[in-house]
Amino acid sequence: MKKILLLPDTHSYIDKAIIKYAKQADEIWHAGDIGKIEVLDELEKITKVKSVYGNIDNHVVRSSQKEINTFMCEKVKVSMIHIGGKPPFYNKKSKTLILKEQPKIFICGHSHILKIEYDKTNQLLFLNPGAAGRYGFHNKRTMIRFEINKANIEKMEVIELGNRSKLSQSVWWTNN
């Protein structure tokens, strides 16, 4: 059994709330728009991180991360890409990825819109965890945690980190 924290669109922002939940996870999956490499460095001090780069990520992040990350967790195949669309309106790259890999979980970020949906057509769980950073048009900062137990996805929970506009007392990195 693995406890997963699915972290989206940090845009170089990380605070004590994110770290608190990261410490409870066996793995952190970051769906792109990491911002600065220091965000990953800090998360990797806590536990294993799997991620993809996003459209705002610079050459440092892009040189160390994949555009597409497909992997197994327990007995569950996962595919992750930053810009993916949503069911049934996946972009062309995502459609190709889903057909080729046939994941049980398909993850993307980018939209800053939290969405959890079972895609019956492709027989997969679609996850977009929203946005955990302070930059963008979202109102609430969100992420998702869940467990993978062999072939089962269990105990899924949306975590609200508060309003985007409220600055935490413990900001380590920002785009400023």
Side-chain angles (χ1 to χ4, degrees):
M1 193 249 325
K2 296 265 177 134
K3 294 178 182 179
I4 308 300
L5 178 65
L6 180 54
L7 189 59
D9 294 82
T10 49
H11 290 255
S12 301
Y13 181 83
I14 191 168
D15 62 11
K16 284 184 180 178
I18 294 171
I19 295 300
K20 174 185 134 185
Y21 288 103
K23 288 179 177 178
Q24 298 170 16
D26 296 316
E27 290 184 5
I28 299 166
W29 300 348
H30 197 304
D33 277 1
I34 296 157
K36 294 185 179 177
I37 197 71
E38 289 86 355
V39 170
L40 288 180
D41 293 343
E42 193 65 30
L43 295 172
E44 287 171 345
K45 289 178 188 175
I46 298 167
T47 192
K48 186 175 184 176
V49 178
K50 294 178 179 173
S51 61
V52 293
Y53 66 76
N55 57 297
I56 67 112
D57 290 319
N58 64 20
H59 70 281
V60 176
V61 174
R62 286 174 184 250
S63 67
S64 67
Q65 304 306 306
K66 301 173 181 178
E67 178 186 17
I68 296 170
N69 196 350
T70 297
F71 54 90
M72 294 295 295
C73 181
E74 298 274 311
K75 295 180 179 181
V76 174
K77 191 174 205 179
V78 179
S79 287
M80 184 165 41
I81 187 170
H82 181 61
I83 301 175
K86 64 181 181 180
F89 306 108
Y90 298 109
N91 63 30
K92 186 176 180 179
K93 192 173 281 190
S94 295
K95 286 178 185 177
T96 302
L97 173 64
I98 290 167
L99 287 173
K100 178 184 173 201
E101 297 294 343
Q102 298 182 343
K104 187 169 182 180
I105 300 175
F106 180 75
I107 298 168
C108 65
H110 185 64
S111 71
H112 294 218
I113 300 170
L114 174 74
K115 188 169 185 67
I116 300 169
E117 179 180 335
Y118 186 74
D119 176 349
K120 292 178 187 173
T121 302
N122 293 294
Q123 298 180 344
L124 59 82
L125 180 61
F126 172 85
L127 299 176
N128 185 326
R134 290 193 59 241
Y135 300 96
F137 59 87
H138 57 285
N139 292 320
K140 295 281 184 195
R141 298 173 49 230
T142 57
M143 53 190 185
I144 299 171
R145 71 175 169 182
F146 55 95
E147 294 178 3
I148 297 182
N149 187 356
K150 297 179 183 155
N152 299 312
I153 303 159
E154 304 172 337
K155 300 181 182 176
M156 187 157 295
E157 175 184 11
V158 172
I159 299 168
E160 284 193 9
L161 297 168
N163 293 330
R164 174 183 56 85
S165 59
K166 286 189 176 181
L167 184 59
S168 169
Q169 297 294 322
S170 59
V171 176
W172 291 315
W173 305 283
T174 66
N175 281 335
N176 299 341

PDB file of all heavy atoms in Angstrom, residues 3 10 16 58 89 100 129 132 141 158:
ATOM      1  N   LYS A   3       0.747   5.571   0.066  1.00  0.00           N
ATOM      2  CA  LYS A   3       0.017   6.823   0.277  1.00  0.00           C
ATOM      3  C   LYS A   3       0.582   7.847  -0.698  1.00  0.00           C
ATOM      4  O   LYS A   3       1.786   8.118  -0.708  1.00  0.00           O
ATOM      5  CB  LYS A   3       0.195   7.310   1.709  1.00  0.00           C
ATOM      6  CG  LYS A   3      -0.434   6.397   2.727  1.00  0.00           C
ATOM      7  CD  LYS A   3      -0.194   6.906   4.129  1.00  0.00           C
ATOM      8  CE  LYS A   3      -0.800   5.934   5.133  1.00  0.00           C
ATOM      9  NZ  LYS A   3      -0.577   6.382   6.510  1.00  0.00           N
ATOM     10  N   THR A  10       2.453  24.333  -8.629  1.00  0.00           N
ATOM     11  CA  THR A  10       2.961  25.100  -7.490  1.00  0.00           C
ATOM     12  C   THR A  10       3.514  26.455  -7.917  1.00  0.00           C
ATOM     13  O   THR A  10       3.558  27.369  -7.101  1.00  0.00           O
ATOM     14  CB  THR A  10       4.070  24.315  -6.757  1.00  0.00           C
ATOM     15  OG1 THR A  10       5.015  23.838  -7.700  1.00  0.00           O
ATOM     16  CG2 THR A  10       3.475  23.159  -5.968  1.00  0.00           C
ATOM     17  N   LYS A  16       4.361  25.574   4.570  1.00  0.00           N
ATOM     18  CA  LYS A  16       4.264  24.561   5.621  1.00  0.00           C
ATOM     19  C   LYS A  16       3.075  23.623   5.423  1.00  0.00           C
ATOM     20  O   LYS A  16       3.150  22.456   5.782  1.00  0.00           O
ATOM     21  CB  LYS A  16       4.154  25.227   6.997  1.00  0.00           C
ATOM     22  CG  LYS A  16       5.458  25.776   7.503  1.00  0.00           C
ATOM     23  CD  LYS A  16       5.287  26.326   8.905  1.00  0.00           C
ATOM     24  CE  LYS A  16       6.603  26.884   9.410  1.00  0.00           C
ATOM     25  NZ  LYS A  16       6.464  27.478  10.752  1.00  0.00           N
ATOM     26  N   ASN A  58      11.210  26.260 -16.541  1.00  0.00           N
ATOM     27  CA  ASN A  58      12.394  26.689 -17.280  1.00  0.00           C
ATOM     28  C   ASN A  58      13.257  25.495 -17.680  1.00  0.00           C
ATOM     29  O   ASN A  58      12.931  24.339 -17.395  1.00  0.00           O
ATOM     30  CB  ASN A  58      13.185  27.721 -16.472  1.00  0.00           C
ATOM     31  CG  ASN A  58      13.747  27.134 -15.175  1.00  0.00           C
ATOM     32  OD1 ASN A  58      13.885  25.927 -15.011  1.00  0.00           O
ATOM     33  ND2 ASN A  58      14.071  28.016 -14.237  1.00  0.00           N
ATOM     34  N   PHE A  89     -12.695  15.525 -23.806  1.00  0.00           N
ATOM     35  CA  PHE A  89     -11.991  16.477 -24.672  1.00  0.00           C
ATOM     36  C   PHE A  89     -10.485  16.495 -24.421  1.00  0.00           C
ATOM     37  O   PHE A  89      -9.900  17.550 -24.173  1.00  0.00           O
ATOM     38  CB  PHE A  89     -12.582  17.880 -24.493  1.00  0.00           C
ATOM     39  CG  PHE A  89     -14.059  17.917 -24.689  1.00  0.00           C
ATOM     40  CD1 PHE A  89     -14.914  18.095 -23.611  1.00  0.00           C
ATOM     41  CD2 PHE A  89     -14.611  17.741 -25.955  1.00  0.00           C
ATOM     42  CE1 PHE A  89     -16.293  18.122 -23.784  1.00  0.00           C
ATOM     43  CE2 PHE A  89     -15.984  17.757 -26.136  1.00  0.00           C
ATOM     44  CZ  PHE A  89     -16.822  17.947 -25.051  1.00  0.00           C
ATOM     45  N   LYS A 100      -2.150   4.288 -26.245  1.00  0.00           N
ATOM     46  CA  LYS A 100      -0.916   3.487 -26.211  1.00  0.00           C
ATOM     47  C   LYS A 100      -0.709   2.816 -24.853  1.00  0.00           C
ATOM     48  O   LYS A 100      -0.440   1.619 -24.774  1.00  0.00           O
ATOM     49  CB  LYS A 100       0.283   4.368 -26.536  1.00  0.00           C
ATOM     50  CG  LYS A 100       1.608   3.644 -26.472  1.00  0.00           C
ATOM     51  CD  LYS A 100       2.781   4.582 -26.706  1.00  0.00           C
ATOM     52  CE  LYS A 100       4.080   3.847 -26.463  1.00  0.00           C
ATOM     53  NZ  LYS A 100       5.181   4.744 -26.187  1.00  0.00           N
ATOM     54  N   PRO A 129      -5.571  17.845 -10.055  1.00  0.00           N
ATOM     55  CA  PRO A 129      -5.646  18.297  -8.666  1.00  0.00           C
ATOM     56  C   PRO A 129      -5.841  19.794  -8.470  1.00  0.00           C
ATOM     57  O   PRO A 129      -5.821  20.278  -7.337  1.00  0.00           O
ATOM     58  CB  PRO A 129      -4.312  17.823  -8.077  1.00  0.00           C
ATOM     59  CG  PRO A 129      -3.406  17.701  -9.241  1.00  0.00           C
ATOM     60  CD  PRO A 129      -4.253  17.374 -10.428  1.00  0.00           C
ATOM     61  N   ALA A 132      -1.887  24.298  -6.385  1.00  0.00           N
ATOM     62  CA  ALA A 132      -1.463  24.476  -4.992  1.00  0.00           C
ATOM     63  C   ALA A 132      -0.691  25.777  -4.789  1.00  0.00           C
ATOM     64  O   ALA A 132      -0.425  26.171  -3.657  1.00  0.00           O
ATOM     65  CB  ALA A 132      -0.608  23.294  -4.537  1.00  0.00           C
ATOM     66  N   ARG A 141      -6.576  26.964  -3.207  1.00  0.00           N
ATOM     67  CA  ARG A 141      -5.408  26.127  -3.451  1.00  0.00           C
ATOM     68  C   ARG A 141      -5.784  24.698  -3.067  1.00  0.00           C
ATOM     69  O   ARG A 141      -6.278  24.458  -1.974  1.00  0.00           O
ATOM     70  CB  ARG A 141      -4.220  26.613  -2.619  1.00  0.00           C
ATOM     71  CG  ARG A 141      -3.783  28.012  -2.969  1.00  0.00           C
ATOM     72  CD  ARG A 141      -2.722  28.567  -2.026  1.00  0.00           C
ATOM     73  NE  ARG A 141      -1.649  27.612  -1.839  1.00  0.00           N
ATOM     74  CZ  ARG A 141      -1.178  27.247  -0.635  1.00  0.00           C
ATOM     75  NH1 ARG A 141      -1.663  27.746   0.472  1.00  0.00           N
ATOM     76  NH2 ARG A 141      -0.197  26.369  -0.554  1.00  0.00           N
ATOM     77  N   VAL A 158      -9.799  15.349  -1.322  1.00  0.00           N
ATOM     78  CA  VAL A 158      -9.362  16.657  -1.807  1.00  0.00           C
ATOM     79  C   VAL A 158      -8.907  17.453  -0.595  1.00  0.00           C
ATOM     80  O   VAL A 158      -9.612  17.525   0.414  1.00  0.00           O
ATOM     81  CB  VAL A 158     -10.508  17.396  -2.530  1.00  0.00           C
ATOM     82  CG1 VAL A 158     -10.111  18.833  -2.856  1.00  0.00           C
ATOM     83  CG2 VAL A 158     -10.901  16.649  -3.798  1.00  0.00           C
TER      84      VAL A 158
END
